[in-house]
Amino acid sequence: MDIEETPVLDNHLHLDPVNGRNTEAAAEFADHGGTHLLVLNKPSWHLVEAAADEGTFREAFDLTVDAVEDATGVLPGRAWPVLGVHPALVSRLVEDGYTPAEARDIMQTGLDVAAEYVVDGPALAIKSGRPHYDMDDAVWEASNDVMCHAFELAAEGDFAVQLHTEGGEDFEEVAEWAEQRGMDRTQVVKHYSGGRLRGPTKSVLADKDELGIAIEEGEPFLMETDYIDDPDRPGAVLGPKTVPRRVRWLLQEGHDDAVRTAHVETPKSVYDIDTEATLSE
């Protein structure tokens, strides 16, 4: 199979319509064989000045929705927004004088708003999680409360949640928390995952070694770059052309089934999107 015969989805990429390359990055993805994007809003404080009320979240989300519409215009397939609250916001709010409980409430309000964009359109899923760095117990507890609120919203609305968390391979407890709130654990997606993971569905950073491990594991997975669209850090984390390049490599190595898993079957089962049908539209 050639890359022209398959959808190519980057499951987690940022576009910055304020400071970044924005549509140019989506076009670069398409020029190298990419077809579909899940675009995550950048942390709210990167897009707008304030970071602590409902209007601020809506402003950041609307900027991302507009960026996704422009990206769809340059893709053979389409892009979808995934909207939410970056877990590191808790630390910024606490540093600004809010208690962890107040920070939790603000972030949960942001998730309520994000869920509206999924239920009413045009977003596909929401993003939540917990910080990937050390914090005190009160902030850790508040962060877990925020993440579990995301699970409650997703269960009610029947949509997926992408998680930004600390590293590791065992997130069984997190998947159980989601199930306790009514979610199917396969709709919990661990962004920036390695090839081996317990609990949620893994979104594997497009590294050859980690993709090799994911294929050996034989479980559903997605692929991502976590491209951050920051002009001061070009190419970070991985550039937008990386997923198409890795798909070409996988096909050259004979991993047609793995490519179908990551770019057709898992997107369908997790997000209920049809990357083949939207490619032919």
Side-chain angles (χ1 to χ4, degrees):
M1 181 168 61
D2 296 326
I3 193 170
E4 293 79 11
E5 301 174 62
T6 179
V8 176
L9 169 74
D10 188 332
N11 182 65
H12 189 109
L13 170 144
H14 301 279
L15 296 176
D16 188 332
V18 177
N19 306 297
R21 297 173 64 205
N22 200 29
T23 311
E24 181 185 339
E28 181 180 60
F29 171 75
D31 287 345
H32 286 78
T35 62
H36 295 77
L37 291 172
L38 266 57
V39 179
L40 283 288
N41 61 281
K42 293 188 72 171
S44 51
W45 60 90
H46 287 200
L47 299 176
V48 293
E49 289 187 7
D53 62 34
E54 179 178 332
T56 298
F57 290 118
R58 290 190 186 278
E59 185 177 353
F61 296 161
D62 286 342
L63 284 167
T64 301
V65 168
D66 290 344
V68 167
E69 291 179 358
D70 291 340
T72 293
V74 300
L75 294 173
R78 59 161 297 179
W80 292 270
V82 176
L83 305 176
V85 181
H86 196 285
L89 179 58
V90 67
S91 298
R92 297 183 69 90
L93 292 172
V94 169
E95 288 170 3
D96 286 345
Y98 293 92
T99 67
E102 290 169 337
R104 174 202 63 207
D105 292 347
I106 291 168
M107 294 171 73
Q108 288 180 342
T109 295
L111 290 174
D112 291 341
V113 175
E116 289 179 25
Y117 281 70
V118 182
V119 173
D120 299 334
L124 180 66
I126 64 173
K127 166 189 172 180
S128 186
R130 59 194 184 194
H132 59 276
Y133 45 80
D134 292 336
M135 69 210 81
D136 65 34
D137 290 346
V139 173
W140 178 253
E141 182 178 344
S143 298
N144 281 322
D145 286 346
V146 171
M147 181 170 60
C148 288
H149 185 65
F151 296 153
E152 291 169 357
L153 292 168
E156 182 178 352
D158 190 23
F159 52 77
V161 178
Q162 284 202 24
L163 295 182
H164 174 114
T165 72
E166 73 280 8
E169 296 182 357
D170 187 355
F171 288 85
E172 180 66 27
E173 182 180 49
V174 170
E176 290 174 356
W177 289 349
E179 288 178 327
Q180 289 164 6
R181 286 157 180 81
M183 282 194 75
D184 182 332
R185 66 167 58 201
T186 64
Q187 290 189 289
V188 181
V189 179
K190 170 71 171 72
H191 133 72
Y192 209 98
S193 177
R196 191 174 289 111
L197 187 74
R198 288 185 57 206
T201 297
K202 51 199 169 194
S203 182
V204 181
L205 197 67
D207 170 86
K208 287 185 177 181
D209 291 341
E210 295 301 335
L211 290 171
I213 293 169
I215 292 169
E216 290 177 5
E217 292 291 297
E219 299 166 343
F221 72 99
L222 298 151
M223 292 173 59
E224 67 168 78
T225 56
D226 192 25
Y227 174 68
I228 64 172
D229 198 13
D230 183 343
D232 295 328
R233 299 171 61 197
V237 173
L238 296 173
K241 65 183 73 171
T242 310
V243 165
R245 283 179 168 176
R246 295 294 180 263
V247 169
R248 276 198 175 85
W249 169 72
L250 289 171
L251 294 173
Q252 289 167 0
E253 296 294 314
H255 295 302
D256 295 34
D257 289 346
V259 169
R260 183 167 183 82
T261 293
H263 299 277
V264 178
E265 294 173 356
T266 308
K268 176 65 175 176
S269 64
V270 172
Y271 302 112
D272 195 26
I273 57 176
D274 190 331
T275 55
E276 291 179 313
T278 50
L279 184 57
S280 64
E281 287 178 352

